Amino acid sequence: MNSIDNSVNFRRLQIEDLIWIISIGLAILNIVSNYYERLYLKSNDIKFRYYSLAINVLIIIVVLLFYIYFFILNYKDFNSAHKKEYYLGEISNILFIIGLFILLYVNVKAFNFTT
């Protein structure tokens, strides 16, 4: 492994550290979303449902961007290695991204219904 590979891997790890930090923030946002959902269930005030869905849509979009990033990384690794396990990794990333798009669609439809 040469210094260029080390530099690329070091940068990749820095980005993954940032993703983990953002994930902690997303977990906190999810707790806030649940709080608004509870307020909606108690008061039946539609604005709380709106807040909850808006936060959920934001979380889904950020997670979708994370998985697109990981898909691109895995695709680059796949092109350089052509190993069977990269096929499975790419398939799982694609399926997860499709699932996130479906979840995003459902939440946006619910979001539009409440506004």
Side-chain angles (χ1 to χ4, degrees):
M1 194 179 270
N2 60 29
S3 64
I4 294 174
D5 290 339
N6 285 340
S7 169
V8 169
N9 288 332
F10 185 78
R11 180 72 180 140
R12 183 183 289 186
L13 288 173
Q14 285 179 323
I15 292 171
E16 287 182 21
D17 288 345
L18 180 62
I19 288 172
W20 280 113
I21 291 168
I22 293 171
S23 296
I24 292 168
L26 292 178
I28 293 168
L29 275 177
N30 205 347
I31 293 169
V32 172
S33 172
N34 288 344
Y35 170 76
Y36 283 126
E37 190 70 25
R38 278 191 295 279
L39 288 177
Y40 167 70
L41 293 172
K42 286 180 185 177
S43 69
N44 213 20
D45 188 350
I46 199 70
K47 74 177 178 184
F48 295 125
R49 178 81 171 137
Y50 172 80
Y51 296 153
S52 174
L53 288 170
I55 292 170
N56 287 342
V57 166
L58 174 68
I59 291 169
I60 293 167
I61 289 171
V62 173
V63 171
L64 183 61
L65 292 173
F66 289 167
Y67 271 88
I68 289 172
Y69 168 76
F70 287 124
F71 173 79
I72 291 168
L73 283 182
N74 286 342
Y75 184 74
K76 288 178 182 178
D77 289 343
F78 167 72
N79 280 338
S80 64
H82 292 292
K83 293 183 179 177
K84 185 177 182 177
E85 52 272 4
Y86 287 110
Y87 283 116
L88 297 175
E90 284 301 284
I91 290 170
S92 67
N93 278 335
I94 290 169
L95 291 175
F96 200 79
I97 289 170
I98 290 169
L100 284 170
F101 272 118
I102 293 169
L103 186 61
L104 180 62
Y105 175 79
V106 168
N107 276 274
V108 167
K109 282 294 190 182
F111 184 75
N112 288 336
F113 178 72
T114 61
T115 55

